Amino acid sequence: MTPPDQLTETLRQSRQLHLLAFWDTLSTEGRSRLASQLEGLDWNQISDCRQRAAQRREQQEPSAPIDLSSAHTPPCHQLGEATDAATAARARGHEALAAGTVGAILVAGGQGTRLGFDAPKGTFPIGPLSHATLFEILLGKLAAVRRRHGKPVPLAIMTSTATDAATRAFLESNQHCGLNADDVFIFCQGTLPAIADDADCLLLDAPDHVAVAPDGHGGMLGALAASGGLAWFGERGCQTIVSFQVDNPLAQPLDAEFLGQHLLTAADFSTQVIPKLHPEERVGVVVERDGVTEVVEYSDLPAALASERRDDGRLRFDAGSIAIHAFDRRFLERTAAAADSLPLHLAHKKVPHLDATGTVIEPTEPNAFKFERFIFDLMPLANRVTLIEVDPAESFAPLKNPAGSSSDSPELVQQALSDYARRHLAAAGISVAPEVTVELDAASILDDTDLVQLADSGKLPGNRIDQPLIVRAG
Ligand code: UTP
């Protein structure tokens, strides 16, 4: 059997015939697997990727630095202030949760290469005492909201080919971490092929398979719309949809004040930011230039601008993005058609592949470009963007790196979770002995209200914790 004529022609035109190098050695199944993968590729999109790779190869990048001379940090609402506006926002957020008009998207399609964990990151055990997984902690928070407000928060989980089967199996065997199966919609994001860094070539990672990678968390909107997930949110009556990432167990996407600010300001797109304190912090910043709000990646912010400070001592560009967003559902519906034209961001990575003899090469240095889209690139399409500044100690503890790393490691995330618990217990009048690890059970403790009830219940002798404890309500 020869390859389909049309396919051979497409590959010839795009000078990628080497992808059929092992065709003659493949079984019937292998041939049909390769042919259907190649036929399913979007060659127009690949042509954009190849063009970007060529520019990078020819060192035409970085392109002219972004002109930020007239840009500034947009005004931010501070979360947790004792003001009437904050009280009104909290009330509005609670109203939306009680009305069941809030849905959520958890992006969990990343390959987690830095962590080096051989399973989806969401299944990584991170509870400092319980060893609860990231999925259990994050989905537990949604279960706690349902318990408090009596209405579920429908949840769409984005997986990728790298995480889909294992994520589905995990959720199935863990009773969807306390959520009703009907309230969970799983959808798989798309992929984009990797391109060699030294030649205009897609790569094979098996004789019958082209090396591809998930198309970035920005693949979310296109995949959500195509899978029927956006329509599902509509059928469920969700008007506001929050999105958050699987690797941040401190994420508070359903914070009532955040939701309320989003709703009261009639924003298309709201986002949580943390104050960037030092110029070298590797965090993207939200800026406004010429009336358009957007995120500038740290690598695109010229050093001189990154270190510029305002009169109050804060960095001129200090609204650090932590990827916790709220969208008006109609905004997502309006922009879904443009999802595939969001910009492609290119990353230089190690991509295992076959050489011309069919030997698997495991590169020790980056050898190829991967392409990703980012959710925050939807921001410039929004009519109104609202920024809410949150305290990183309360909302941001990302797990990126393996044990022993100096940043974003499991130990540091666990410490952040225990510190968070200690602070909130103290606020409720429960003290914790020094050096003792504590953990709040995500599914039963939604916020300080639950802790105050616990303190009042007399269940903790002297309202003091002397031993490591997982604090549960009820
Ligand atoms: P990162 O960009 O940190 O990537 O993802 P990662 O896959 O977790 O880790 P590395 O870079 O390979 O080490 C941030 C969030 O975006 C999701 C991840 O699952 C994580 O929640 N993500 C990332 C996707 O859902 N899809 C992607 O294609 C990329």
Side-chain angles (χ1 to χ4, degrees):
M1 174 185 152
T2 54
D5 290 347
Q6 179 65 49
L7 176 59
T8 310
E9 189 47 32
T10 306
L11 294 177
R12 190 189 322 281
Q13 278 177 16
S14 38
R15 297 184 304 283
Q16 302 297 323
L17 271 174
H18 63 279
L19 298 175
L20 298 175
F22 304 102
W23 183 269
D24 292 342
T25 67
L26 296 177
S27 64
T28 311
E29 293 76 37
R31 287 176 180 174
S32 89
R33 181 169 140 85
L34 180 61
S36 70
Q37 188 195 12
L38 289 169
E39 283 164 349
L41 293 177
D42 177 340
W43 289 94
N44 288 331
Q45 205 164 64
I46 290 171
S47 145
D48 291 346
C49 296
R50 289 167 61 200
Q51 208 174 335
R52 290 293 316 279
Q55 287 167 351
R56 175 64 68 91
R57 224 176 274 124
E58 289 153 23
Q59 300 198 320
Q60 287 176 5
E61 287 189 324
S63 48
I66 303 173
D67 180 9
L68 292 168
S69 50
S70 64
H72 63 275
T73 296
C76 297
H77 298 268
Q78 309 286 325
L79 198 93
E81 288 195 331
T83 60
D84 290 346
T87 307
R90 270 193 293 280
R92 182 68 188 91
H94 283 138
E95 191 183 296
L97 290 168
T101 55
V102 183
I105 301 168
L106 176 60
V107 294
Q111 292 171 304
T113 42
R114 283 169 287 175
L115 186 62
F117 178 58
D118 197 21
K121 228 192 229 186
T123 65
F124 189 92
I126 197 67
L129 297 168
S130 66
H131 306 295
T133 60
L134 284 161
F135 276 138
E136 285 167 313
I137 292 177
L138 293 168
L139 273 57
K141 293 184 193 208
L142 271 66
V145 168
R146 185 192 56 200
R147 186 177 47 79
R148 169 74 58 83
H149 294 284
K151 289 277 168 53
V153 174
L155 172 70
I157 301 179
M158 182 167 85
T159 60
S160 64
T161 44
T163 63
D164 189 70
T167 298
R168 286 176 193 271
F170 177 86
L171 292 174
E172 198 68 37
S173 57
N174 287 277
Q175 292 74 47
H176 297 83
C177 305
L179 302 181
N180 290 328
D182 288 351
D183 295 331
V184 180
F185 182 96
I186 302 175
F187 68 107
C188 190
Q189 69 180 110
T191 54
L192 286 169
I195 294 183
D197 63 2
D198 60 351
D200 182 22
C201 287
L202 276 64
L203 300 165
L204 289 171
D205 56 10
D208 60 358
H209 193 257
V210 179
V212 292
D215 59 359
H217 47 64
M220 177 269 270
L221 181 52
L224 184 70
S227 63
L230 201 47
W232 180 73
F233 279 124
E235 285 153 20
R236 299 295 306 256
C238 299
Q239 284 154 20
T240 303
I241 300 176
V242 297
S243 78
F244 58 117
Q245 303 192 331
V246 78
D247 54 14
N248 176 15
L250 268 189
Q252 316 291 354
L254 296 172
D255 179 276
E257 190 181 337
F258 170 58
L259 293 171
Q261 287 290 8
H262 168 74
L263 288 162
L264 291 177
T265 52
D268 275 342
F269 189 140
S270 296
T271 191
Q272 295 186 10
V273 296
I274 55 171
K276 177 175 170 179
L277 301 177
H278 308 290
E280 60 281 3
E281 276 173 47
R282 293 157 74 94
V283 57
V285 287
V286 185
V287 310
E288 187 178 321
R289 55 174 183 149
D290 305 328
V292 175
T293 309
E294 62 187 322
V295 173
V296 175
E297 283 188 85
Y298 65 87
S299 49
D300 288 339
L301 190 63
L305 283 182
S307 53
E308 221 175 276
R309 292 196 181 264
R310 301 191 297 241
D311 292 344
D312 61 4
R314 289 178 64 138
L315 290 170
R316 174 174 166 196
F317 298 111
D318 75 336
S321 169
I322 56 169
I324 300 174
H325 312 299
F327 306 103
D328 187 307
R329 193 193 78 233
R330 288 160 305 185
F331 169 69
L332 295 182
E333 288 168 353
R334 212 167 59 232
T335 51
D340 286 345
S341 25
L342 290 178
L344 290 167
H345 298 260
L346 175 149
H348 199 199
K349 298 270 182 174
K350 292 182 240 174
V351 176
H353 64 284
L354 301 187
D355 69 7
T357 68
T359 308
V360 180
I361 307 292
E362 292 282 350
T364 52
E365 295 298 323
N367 63 314
F369 299 120
K370 285 185 180 176
F371 300 87
E372 294 196 342
R373 295 196 163 90
F374 296 157
I375 297 174
F376 58 63
D377 282 325
L378 285 173
M379 211 178 261
L381 306 180
N383 289 331
R384 181 169 181 125
V385 177
T386 292
L387 267 58
I388 289 104
E389 185 179 294
V390 300
D391 177 352
E394 292 286 299
S395 305
F396 190 52
L399 176 66
K400 302 284 183 194
N401 298 319
S405 307
S406 59
S407 65
D408 304 340
S409 67
E411 302 90 314
L412 292 171
V413 174
Q414 288 176 332
Q415 186 63 52
L417 288 169
S418 179
D419 291 347
Y420 174 89
R422 175 184 289 272
R423 271 195 315 279
H424 286 268
L425 287 162
I430 302 168
S431 66
V432 182
E435 311 296 324
V436 167
T437 302
V438 274
E439 178 179 341
L440 301 182
D441 172 50
S444 65
I445 310 264
L446 178 59
D447 54 25
D448 292 356
T449 309
D450 290 318
L451 291 175
V452 170
Q453 266 178 18
L454 186 72
D456 292 347
S457 71
K459 284 185 188 153
L460 297 168
N463 273 342
R464 183 173 166 78
I465 298 174
D466 293 313
Q467 301 289 329
L469 184 69
I470 303 169
V471 180
R472 288 197 169 83

